[in-house]
Amino acid sequence: MRILAQQVPLDRSDITGEQQDDGIIQVLDDLAYKQLVFVNVLFFGQAGQRHWVLIDAGIPASAGRIRRAAAARFGEGVPPAAIIMTHGHFDHVGVLEDLAAEWDVPVYAHPLERPYLDGSNAYPPPDPTVGGGAMALLSPLYPRAPVNVGSRLRDLPADGSVPEMPGWRWLHTPGHSVGHVSLWRDADRTLIAGDAIITTAGESAYATAVQEPELHGPPKYFTHDWQAAEASVAKLAALEPELVVAGHGLAMRGADMRAALHRLSQEFRQLAVPPHGRFVDAPRRAEDGSAYDKA
């Protein structure tokens, strides 16, 4: 096992999910995900049923893989009822415009994430100096311009409900992005974390390739408010989740995972926050108008 700095190891026995013939990893009867190189897209809905929801939209050029996975699980030509976005970074919106237009379905996101999804504003630049690893060093090359899903874009309901996902609620978990959300179901304590926490080292190409299970805070090079990120991790740890499916890494469950999450929360500044960096002392926040760069 390669030891990376600032990591909370997880035991491989905590990995959960059954890989299907189509490459989808099913973690619950109504929840599955597919790994697209280094990011996950999630499918909510019972296999074989016609009502389903796509959560996040992968990397560029992944539309065919998402379509095929959806067809294998829900049937050929069955569009989702909605697309839910945890946030709008390039590796989560890669084919959002194409799929939303093709399926003609609403796209839901936090109101603070709207400028990155309606073509208005670009994300702040990444910081390649934090975290180490090839993924961080290459971050200046990653797209940060907004996508535009136009009239299909909707704000998530103010009452915390998640459209087309009964029993779920959305939680505002900013830090990695001003409008980042995670999804939570009380009934079975299932957490869809987005990038608020991840289960692999987001800055390392090696960790991304081998999927060594480690609990981390959000990917450092695209996190613009570390105080908010710390509060978000504390919020998620307090939920005591039984199952976590993150935007990067493998799904994890159980008591050891929860203990690791509490440790990450309690020692967040030592384990997750870079000792230096562009946004450590100068965060970009929506309330002071500094979270948006004109596209």
Side-chain angles (χ1 to χ4, degrees):
M1 174 179 174
R2 184 185 181 195
I3 301 297
L4 298 171
Q6 300 176 316
Q7 50 101 8
V8 183
L10 293 168
D11 195 292
R12 283 198 167 270
S13 63
D14 297 331
I15 296 171
T16 188
E18 180 180 346
Q19 184 158 325
Q20 310 296 301
D21 291 341
D22 50 23
I24 294 177
I25 301 172
Q26 179 165 314
V27 290
L28 296 169
D29 287 345
D30 62 356
L31 187 63
Y33 68 101
K34 186 173 180 63
Q35 296 180 306
L36 299 172
V37 186
F38 61 90
V39 71
N40 299 326
V41 295
L42 286 80
F43 303 88
F44 170 75
Q46 296 272 355
Q49 301 296 311
R50 298 184 67 84
H51 184 276
W52 67 282
V53 172
L54 179 69
I55 302 163
D56 288 340
I59 56 175
S62 64
R65 282 171 285 175
I66 295 174
R67 286 191 206 98
R68 288 191 293 273
R73 185 164 179 82
F74 305 108
E76 196 70 43
V78 179
I83 301 173
I84 310 294
M85 300 304 303
T86 63
H87 63 301
H89 283 155
F90 82 100
D91 52 340
H92 294 256
V93 300
V95 291
L96 178 62
E97 290 175 316
D98 293 341
L99 293 180
E102 175 185 336
W103 287 329
D104 191 21
V105 296
V107 176
Y108 290 92
H110 191 280
L112 288 174
E113 209 70 2
R114 176 175 281 272
Y116 309 124
L117 300 171
D118 69 3
S120 299
N121 296 97
Y123 279 106
D127 186 351
T129 70
V130 296
M135 300 294 287
L137 292 174
L138 291 171
S139 61
L141 303 177
Y142 303 154
R144 63 185 185 92
V147 298
N148 187 354
V149 291
S151 62
R152 296 182 179 87
L153 183 60
R154 309 279 192 276
D155 291 343
L156 284 164
D159 64 4
S161 62
V162 182
E164 307 297 341
M165 294 178 63
W168 291 79
R169 56 191 172 99
W170 63 266
L171 308 171
H172 188 203
T173 48
H176 189 55
S177 173
V178 290
H180 187 286
V181 299
S182 303
L183 308 181
W184 170 253
R185 183 163 61 182
D186 289 287
D188 54 4
R189 295 178 20 235
T190 295
L191 173 65
I192 297 173
D195 284 3
I197 56 173
I198 58 176
T199 60
T200 191
E203 300 78 27
S204 167
Y206 173 88
T208 297
V210 302
Q211 295 290 289
E212 194 69 42
E214 302 168 355
L215 193 64
H216 289 258
K220 294 179 176 65
Y221 51 87
F222 259 154
T223 296
H224 303 116
D225 184 347
W226 286 102
Q227 290 179 337
E230 180 178 14
S232 292
V233 171
K235 180 187 293 187
L236 298 183
L239 294 172
E240 302 286 352
E242 172 60 24
L243 169 66
V244 170
V245 188
H248 303 270
L250 299 167
M252 311 292 292
R253 71 162 65 245
D256 289 343
M257 175 273 294
R258 286 191 294 278
L261 180 54
H262 279 289
R263 182 188 167 200
L264 177 65
S265 176
Q266 293 160 5
E267 303 177 37
F268 188 83
R269 296 184 187 184
Q270 294 75 38
L271 291 169
V273 181
H276 57 78
R278 179 182 295 165
F279 302 108
V280 175
D281 298 316
R284 299 288 291 270
R285 295 179 173 134
E287 58 265 31
D288 60 18
S290 65
Y292 307 118
D293 288 355
K294 286 298 179 184

